[in-house]
Amino acid sequence: QAELVESGGGSVQAGGSLRLSCSASPSSADTACTSWFRQAPGKEREWVAALGTGDGRRPYYADSVTGRFTISRESSDNTVTLTMNNLKPEDTATYYCAAARDWACGNWYFVKKEGNFAVWGQGTQVTVSS
């Protein structure tokens, strides 16, 4: 089974930027769709962004991060990056990447559903101070 390894978390001041990476090993059809989720202390985990593979892939973003976060996939296809700009204190959370087969990136409903993602990373902490 594939494993996901996240990196790039840290602490920044409001307005700053961070870049998170999620690397799949090995990369396969089971990791074709990647979503990022986050969980703040005392809150439920929420979906952040998603990206599939293939010619028809398009990114999906939660309203709270649209215009500030960008999800992209490296040409090797085994690393997905979440670039976070203009960070706010409310972005503070543990960020998790999760992977599934490409169908999971087929529409807005699928990409948000945690149960569709069988492979999860260990999480990386992002802290934004005001």
Side-chain angles (χ1 to χ4, degrees), residues 7 15 27 30 36-37 45 60 77 82 102 111-112 116 120:
S7 61
S27 177
D30 291 335
W36 285 93
F37 295 82
R45 189 155 54 189
Y60 297 87
D77 272 356
L82 185 68
D102 202 52
V111 297
K112 299 177 181 179
N116 289 340
W120 288 78

PDB file of all heavy atoms in Angstrom, residues 7 15 27 30 36-37 45 60 77 82 102 111-112 116 120:
ATOM      1  N   SER A   7       5.384  17.389   4.248  1.00  0.00           N
ATOM      2  CA  SER A   7       6.466  18.221   4.752  1.00  0.00           C
ATOM      3  C   SER A   7       6.124  19.675   4.489  1.00  0.00           C
ATOM      4  O   SER A   7       5.231  19.975   3.698  1.00  0.00           O
ATOM      5  CB  SER A   7       7.798  17.854   4.083  1.00  0.00           C
ATOM      6  OG  SER A   7       7.721  18.057   2.689  1.00  0.00           O
ATOM      7  N   GLY A  15      -0.361  36.905   7.106  1.00  0.00           N
ATOM      8  CA  GLY A  15       0.080  37.506   5.860  1.00  0.00           C
ATOM      9  C   GLY A  15       1.233  36.778   5.206  1.00  0.00           C
ATOM     10  O   GLY A  15       1.565  37.056   4.041  1.00  0.00           O
ATOM     11  N   SER A  27       3.963   5.902  -6.198  1.00  0.00           N
ATOM     12  CA  SER A  27       2.866   6.558  -6.892  1.00  0.00           C
ATOM     13  C   SER A  27       2.145   5.523  -7.743  1.00  0.00           C
ATOM     14  O   SER A  27       2.785   4.710  -8.408  1.00  0.00           O
ATOM     15  CB  SER A  27       3.419   7.676  -7.779  1.00  0.00           C
ATOM     16  OG  SER A  27       2.378   8.288  -8.510  1.00  0.00           O
ATOM     17  N   ASP A  30      -3.802   4.282  -7.119  1.00  0.00           N
ATOM     18  CA  ASP A  30      -4.442   4.508  -5.820  1.00  0.00           C
ATOM     19  C   ASP A  30      -4.140   5.881  -5.237  1.00  0.00           C
ATOM     20  O   ASP A  30      -4.723   6.259  -4.225  1.00  0.00           O
ATOM     21  CB  ASP A  30      -3.999   3.431  -4.815  1.00  0.00           C
ATOM     22  CG  ASP A  30      -4.545   2.063  -5.162  1.00  0.00           C
ATOM     23  OD1 ASP A  30      -5.598   1.990  -5.831  1.00  0.00           O
ATOM     24  OD2 ASP A  30      -3.922   1.058  -4.766  1.00  0.00           O
ATOM     25  N   TRP A  36      -6.256  17.752   0.372  1.00  0.00           N
ATOM     26  CA  TRP A  36      -5.719  18.255   1.636  1.00  0.00           C
ATOM     27  C   TRP A  36      -6.893  18.526   2.574  1.00  0.00           C
ATOM     28  O   TRP A  36      -7.895  19.126   2.170  1.00  0.00           O
ATOM     29  CB  TRP A  36      -4.930  19.540   1.434  1.00  0.00           C
ATOM     30  CG  TRP A  36      -3.580  19.341   0.822  1.00  0.00           C
ATOM     31  CD1 TRP A  36      -3.252  19.403  -0.503  1.00  0.00           C
ATOM     32  CD2 TRP A  36      -2.366  19.064   1.515  1.00  0.00           C
ATOM     33  NE1 TRP A  36      -1.920  19.180  -0.680  1.00  0.00           N
ATOM     34  CE2 TRP A  36      -1.339  18.973   0.552  1.00  0.00           C
ATOM     35  CE3 TRP A  36      -2.026  18.875   2.852  1.00  0.00           C
ATOM     36  CZ2 TRP A  36      -0.009  18.703   0.883  1.00  0.00           C
ATOM     37  CZ3 TRP A  36      -0.706  18.614   3.189  1.00  0.00           C
ATOM     38  CH2 TRP A  36       0.287  18.528   2.207  1.00  0.00           C
ATOM     39  N   PHE A  37      -6.739  18.098   3.812  1.00  0.00           N
ATOM     40  CA  PHE A  37      -7.682  18.376   4.872  1.00  0.00           C
ATOM     41  C   PHE A  37      -6.921  19.061   6.003  1.00  0.00           C
ATOM     42  O   PHE A  37      -5.690  19.009   6.061  1.00  0.00           O
ATOM     43  CB  PHE A  37      -8.309  17.072   5.406  1.00  0.00           C
ATOM     44  CG  PHE A  37      -9.166  16.330   4.418  1.00  0.00           C
ATOM     45  CD1 PHE A  37      -8.590  15.485   3.473  1.00  0.00           C
ATOM     46  CD2 PHE A  37     -10.541  16.465   4.433  1.00  0.00           C
ATOM     47  CE1 PHE A  37      -9.367  14.787   2.558  1.00  0.00           C
ATOM     48  CE2 PHE A  37     -11.330  15.771   3.523  1.00  0.00           C
ATOM     49  CZ  PHE A  37     -10.738  14.936   2.587  1.00  0.00           C
ATOM     50  N   ARG A  45     -12.309  17.892  11.436  1.00  0.00           N
ATOM     51  CA  ARG A  45     -11.441  18.011  10.268  1.00  0.00           C
ATOM     52  C   ARG A  45     -12.252  18.546   9.095  1.00  0.00           C
ATOM     53  O   ARG A  45     -13.401  18.159   8.886  1.00  0.00           O
ATOM     54  CB  ARG A  45     -10.829  16.656   9.939  1.00  0.00           C
ATOM     55  CG  ARG A  45      -9.760  16.695   8.882  1.00  0.00           C
ATOM     56  CD  ARG A  45      -8.795  15.530   9.005  1.00  0.00           C
ATOM     57  NE  ARG A  45      -9.439  14.247   9.018  1.00  0.00           N
ATOM     58  CZ  ARG A  45      -8.813  13.105   9.290  1.00  0.00           C
ATOM     59  NH1 ARG A  45      -7.511  13.115   9.591  1.00  0.00           N
ATOM     60  NH2 ARG A  45      -9.466  11.972   9.280  1.00  0.00           N
ATOM     61  N   TYR A  60      -9.744  21.902  -6.974  1.00  0.00           N
ATOM     62  CA  TYR A  60     -10.913  22.261  -6.191  1.00  0.00           C
ATOM     63  C   TYR A  60     -10.425  22.944  -4.915  1.00  0.00           C
ATOM     64  O   TYR A  60      -9.430  22.525  -4.327  1.00  0.00           O
ATOM     65  CB  TYR A  60     -11.713  21.015  -5.781  1.00  0.00           C
ATOM     66  CG  TYR A  60     -12.299  20.211  -6.913  1.00  0.00           C
ATOM     67  CD1 TYR A  60     -11.560  19.217  -7.545  1.00  0.00           C
ATOM     68  CD2 TYR A  60     -13.606  20.425  -7.342  1.00  0.00           C
ATOM     69  CE1 TYR A  60     -12.111  18.453  -8.572  1.00  0.00           C
ATOM     70  CE2 TYR A  60     -14.168  19.661  -8.365  1.00  0.00           C
ATOM     71  CZ  TYR A  60     -13.415  18.683  -8.968  1.00  0.00           C
ATOM     72  OH  TYR A  60     -13.965  17.929  -9.980  1.00  0.00           O
ATOM     73  N   ASP A  77       4.306  13.501 -10.897  1.00  0.00           N
ATOM     74  CA  ASP A  77       2.999  13.034 -10.443  1.00  0.00           C
ATOM     75  C   ASP A  77       2.990  12.429  -9.053  1.00  0.00           C
ATOM     76  O   ASP A  77       1.926  12.071  -8.562  1.00  0.00           O
ATOM     77  CB  ASP A  77       2.380  12.043 -11.438  1.00  0.00           C
ATOM     78  CG  ASP A  77       1.580  12.726 -12.521  1.00  0.00           C
ATOM     79  OD1 ASP A  77       1.443  13.951 -12.445  1.00  0.00           O
ATOM     80  OD2 ASP A  77       1.086  12.042 -13.425  1.00  0.00           O
ATOM     81  N   LEU A  82       0.831  22.240  -1.805  1.00  0.00           N
ATOM     82  CA  LEU A  82      -0.181  23.216  -1.425  1.00  0.00           C
ATOM     83  C   LEU A  82       0.554  24.489  -1.038  1.00  0.00           C
ATOM     84  O   LEU A  82       1.219  24.542   0.003  1.00  0.00           O
ATOM     85  CB  LEU A  82      -1.023  22.701  -0.251  1.00  0.00           C
ATOM     86  CG  LEU A  82      -2.193  23.608   0.159  1.00  0.00           C
ATOM     87  CD1 LEU A  82      -3.258  23.613  -0.953  1.00  0.00           C
ATOM     88  CD2 LEU A  82      -2.804  23.151   1.467  1.00  0.00           C
ATOM     89  N   ASP A 102      -8.557   8.160  -9.023  1.00  0.00           N
ATOM     90  CA  ASP A 102      -8.891   9.418  -9.691  1.00  0.00           C
ATOM     91  C   ASP A 102     -10.370   9.758  -9.657  1.00  0.00           C
ATOM     92  O   ASP A 102     -10.741  10.929  -9.708  1.00  0.00           O
ATOM     93  CB  ASP A 102      -8.394   9.372 -11.137  1.00  0.00           C
ATOM     94  CG  ASP A 102      -8.226  10.770 -11.714  1.00  0.00           C
ATOM     95  OD1 ASP A 102      -7.540  11.603 -11.075  1.00  0.00           O
ATOM     96  OD2 ASP A 102      -8.793  11.038 -12.782  1.00  0.00           O
ATOM     97  N   VAL A 111     -14.683  14.960  -3.636  1.00  0.00           N
ATOM     98  CA  VAL A 111     -13.376  15.386  -3.130  1.00  0.00           C
ATOM     99  C   VAL A 111     -13.414  15.759  -1.657  1.00  0.00           C
ATOM    100  O   VAL A 111     -12.385  15.748  -0.996  1.00  0.00           O
ATOM    101  CB  VAL A 111     -12.802  16.581  -3.924  1.00  0.00           C
ATOM    102  CG1 VAL A 111     -12.554  16.198  -5.367  1.00  0.00           C
ATOM    103  CG2 VAL A 111     -13.694  17.814  -3.827  1.00  0.00           C
ATOM    104  N   LYS A 112     -14.603  16.097  -1.132  1.00  0.00           N
ATOM    105  CA  LYS A 112     -14.703  16.533   0.258  1.00  0.00           C
ATOM    106  C   LYS A 112     -14.935  15.394   1.241  1.00  0.00           C
ATOM    107  O   LYS A 112     -14.843  15.594   2.450  1.00  0.00           O
ATOM    108  CB  LYS A 112     -15.863  17.516   0.397  1.00  0.00           C
ATOM    109  CG  LYS A 112     -15.721  18.772  -0.415  1.00  0.00           C
ATOM    110  CD  LYS A 112     -16.962  19.644  -0.268  1.00  0.00           C
ATOM    111  CE  LYS A 112     -16.872  20.894  -1.092  1.00  0.00           C
ATOM    112  NZ  LYS A 112     -18.090  21.722  -0.960  1.00  0.00           N
ATOM    113  N   ASN A 116     -13.779   8.600   1.133  1.00  0.00           N
ATOM    114  CA  ASN A 116     -13.331   8.220  -0.206  1.00  0.00           C
ATOM    115  C   ASN A 116     -11.826   8.061  -0.295  1.00  0.00           C
ATOM    116  O   ASN A 116     -11.315   7.573  -1.298  1.00  0.00           O
ATOM    117  CB  ASN A 116     -13.779   9.256  -1.236  1.00  0.00           C
ATOM    118  CG  ASN A 116     -15.275   9.209  -1.481  1.00  0.00           C
ATOM    119  OD1 ASN A 116     -15.933   8.225  -1.187  1.00  0.00           O
ATOM    120  ND2 ASN A 116     -15.811  10.292  -2.016  1.00  0.00           N
ATOM    121  N   TRP A 120      -3.636   8.070   3.950  1.00  0.00           N
ATOM    122  CA  TRP A 120      -3.496   9.347   4.650  1.00  0.00           C
ATOM    123  C   TRP A 120      -2.059   9.545   5.106  1.00  0.00           C
ATOM    124  O   TRP A 120      -1.369   8.586   5.478  1.00  0.00           O
ATOM    125  CB  TRP A 120      -4.407   9.388   5.873  1.00  0.00           C
ATOM    126  CG  TRP A 120      -5.847   9.511   5.512  1.00  0.00           C
ATOM    127  CD1 TRP A 120      -6.674   8.511   5.059  1.00  0.00           C
ATOM    128  CD2 TRP A 120      -6.642  10.694   5.555  1.00  0.00           C
ATOM    129  NE1 TRP A 120      -7.930   9.006   4.816  1.00  0.00           N
ATOM    130  CE2 TRP A 120      -7.942  10.346   5.114  1.00  0.00           C
ATOM    131  CE3 TRP A 120      -6.397  12.014   5.924  1.00  0.00           C
ATOM    132  CZ2 TRP A 120      -8.978  11.285   5.024  1.00  0.00           C
ATOM    133  CZ3 TRP A 120      -7.427  12.937   5.843  1.00  0.00           C
ATOM    134  CH2 TRP A 120      -8.708  12.567   5.401  1.00  0.00           C
TER     135      TRP A 120
END
